[in-house]
Amino acid sequence: EAMFNYLRKRFASHITERSRRKARLVSKDGRCNIEFGNVEQSRFVFLIDIWTTILDLRWRYKMTIFISAFLGSWFLFGLLWYVVAYIHKDLPEFNPSINHTPCVENINGLTSAFLFSLETQVTIGYGFRCVTEQCVTAIFLLIFQSILGVIINSFMCGAILAKISRSKNRAKTITFSSGKLCLLIRVANLRKSLLIGSHIYGKLLKTTITPEGETIILDQVNIEFIVDAGNENLFFISPLTIYHIIDKNSPFFHMAAETILQQDFELVVFLDGTVEATSATCQVRTSYIPEEVLWGYRFAPIVSKTKEGKYRVDFQNFSKTVAVEMPHCAFCLYNEKEAKAKEKKGYDNPGFVLAEVSEASDTKM
């Protein structure tokens, strides 16, 4: 029975964790978990911008289109070459005479027509099969296939190269930590090449209810993150610890250590910059949910200096935290500060009244 209860708890926690992962809008690697439904606009518009559509496809679909484009064009032109040979009666079943000059030498069937199409489009040129000057149709077909083959090669190879060199892949070498009173996040650039003009900001996604009673799902609240030098044009050569000051204007102001796990929010952090090597704009994003926020901790030091005078970054401590003394809520911290400030200023009590007492002596000698 104890084993059954243990397995049931583990299964329940697994289901809960899985549902939480599904509820996340932005995954840890930056992918957006959202589905569009009842879109009135026709899907034909995606075919108009075919280049962006191809670039946004997953690799498995892109490689399927890549292979299908070449195989399909080879087979289609193979059929056309077979039709030309059939119409001109170059095939063996027509028993051509010895003096007969075919449109294409050595095409004996559909297989040989497919091989000639392949050799023509990829410019292999074995020299065994070739077009003769006997057929004008074959000459025009050869020119058309050569031009179309160059277009297909340029488009598909360009799409593969653009997919490989997209700035989204540069974002994979930017990593975020796993999770005055401040919210701290650590971010690091794993390459020595810089991100130029870096800018970091955040969005808090939560469900809110307006005073009129309207429920707004995925309501977005701006979260300002800064470093000591500001949040614009970051010198991103070493890991940076960015922070959000939790003051009275912060949406985290009324949260406490005991209630933060009961909150329903998702903090999405964005880092925009320009890749130094390619000048391409890059955006990195990740998200944090309440279970990934640690209250009462700070990040351990990560940068040190070696004996040779070089600066060393120890990524083993990248997400390592150290417990610190901290109020259990920001509201309490600011109330305490205000109380101490009032004590120093010495505010008068308006209800205090000074009463004069007569000191008449009732003592008789």
Side-chain angles (χ1 to χ4, degrees):
E1 184 178 355
M3 179 62 70
F4 176 75
N5 292 333
Y6 172 77
L7 294 177
R8 186 178 61 181
K9 290 181 180 179
R10 287 296 301 271
F11 180 75
S13 62
H14 175 73
I15 295 298
T16 303
E17 181 64 23
R18 188 173 180 181
S19 64
R20 290 183 185 274
R21 287 199 299 266
K22 288 184 177 180
R24 189 193 294 266
L25 177 65
V26 180
S27 64
K28 299 300 289 183
D29 60 354
R31 297 181 181 273
C32 296
N33 179 28
I34 192 167
E35 180 180 343
F36 298 106
N38 299 324
V39 180
E40 297 181 358
Q41 196 171 18
S42 174
R43 293 185 179 271
F44 181 72
V45 296
F46 293 99
L47 296 178
I48 297 177
D49 187 13
I50 187 64
W51 178 253
T52 305
T53 303
I54 292 294
L55 289 184
D56 289 340
L57 289 176
R58 295 180 179 271
W59 273 109
R60 53 179 176 267
Y61 302 126
K62 185 184 292 293
M63 293 307 299
T64 301
I65 294 177
F66 182 85
I67 295 172
S68 301
F70 284 103
L71 289 179
S73 62
W74 297 338
F75 184 74
L76 175 62
F77 280 100
L79 289 176
L80 294 178
W81 286 115
Y82 179 80
V83 170
V84 170
Y86 184 86
I87 294 176
H88 198 252
K89 297 183 178 181
D90 299 334
L91 301 177
E93 56 260 30
F94 293 105
N95 298 318
S97 62
I98 300 176
N99 297 327
H100 178 76
T101 303
C103 291
V104 182
E105 295 282 357
N106 300 310
I107 285 188
N108 302 318
L110 186 59
T111 303
S112 57
F114 174 80
L115 291 176
F116 178 72
S117 173
L118 171 62
E119 295 168 13
T120 301
Q121 189 163 326
V122 300
T123 64
I124 294 178
Y126 291 122
F128 182 69
R129 299 180 183 89
C130 61
V131 177
T132 65
E133 68 276 7
Q134 186 69 22
C135 289
V136 178
T137 305
I139 296 175
F140 277 106
L141 183 59
L142 177 66
I143 295 173
F144 181 70
Q145 183 176 7
S146 300
I147 295 175
L148 185 61
V150 171
I151 294 175
I152 294 175
N153 286 340
S154 302
F155 184 85
M156 298 309 302
C157 294
I160 295 295
L161 181 60
K163 182 76 170 180
I164 295 174
S165 60
R166 289 186 79 179
S167 56
K168 184 184 293 187
N169 296 325
R170 177 63 176 89
K172 296 182 183 300
T173 55
I174 305 295
T175 180
F176 288 87
S177 60
S178 46
K180 312 174 189 177
L181 189 62
C182 300
L183 172 67
L184 304 179
I185 294 176
R186 179 173 279 172
V187 57
N189 180 11
L190 300 182
R191 291 185 181 271
K192 291 186 178 180
S193 59
L194 297 178
L195 284 179
I196 304 172
S198 300
H199 170 64
I200 196 162
Y201 57 97
K203 298 284 185 181
L204 186 69
L205 309 179
K206 60 179 182 178
T207 301
T208 58
I209 300 177
T210 63
E212 294 78 14
E214 180 184 1
T215 301
I216 302 177
I217 300 177
L218 293 180
D219 185 24
Q220 300 186 16
V221 180
N222 289 327
I223 302 294
E224 182 179 359
F225 284 100
I226 59 175
V227 294
D228 293 334
N231 62 347
E232 298 284 349
N233 299 321
L234 304 177
F235 186 47
F236 206 4
I237 195 172
S238 64
L240 297 176
T241 299
I242 60 175
Y243 56 90
H244 164 70
I245 300 177
I246 303 178
D247 53 15
K248 293 182 179 180
N249 298 322
S250 171
F252 300 101
F253 183 71
H254 296 284
M255 298 184 188
E258 297 83 2
T259 62
I260 190 170
L261 295 179
Q262 303 171 5
Q263 303 292 327
D264 182 18
F265 68 84
E266 182 176 348
L267 175 62
V268 185
V269 182
F270 303 85
L271 173 65
D272 297 339
T274 303
V275 182
E276 185 181 32
T278 62
S279 299
T281 304
C282 172
Q283 183 183 85
V284 195
R285 54 187 176 266
T286 189
S287 70
Y288 300 89
I289 55 178
E291 289 78 4
E292 297 169 342
V293 178
L294 302 180
W295 192 288
Y297 289 84
R298 65 171 177 83
F299 287 109
I302 192 175
V303 181
S304 60
K305 196 172 184 179
T306 63
K307 296 180 180 179
E308 295 78 13
K310 292 185 177 181
Y311 293 94
R312 183 175 183 272
V313 179
D314 186 8
F315 280 95
Q316 187 175 359
N317 295 334
F318 181 73
S319 296
K320 187 177 180 180
T321 55
V322 180
V324 294
E325 293 185 3
M326 183 180 296
H328 74 285
C329 67
F331 184 76
C332 302
L333 175 64
Y334 280 88
N335 279 350
E336 182 181 347
K337 287 183 177 180
E338 290 179 358
K340 291 182 179 179
K342 289 181 179 180
E343 289 180 2
K344 292 181 180 179
K345 292 181 179 179
Y347 287 105
D348 293 333
N349 185 359
F352 178 77
V353 177
L354 178 63
E356 295 183 358
V357 180
S358 61
E359 297 182 356
S361 178
D362 295 335
T363 305
K364 295 182 180 181
M365 298 299 295

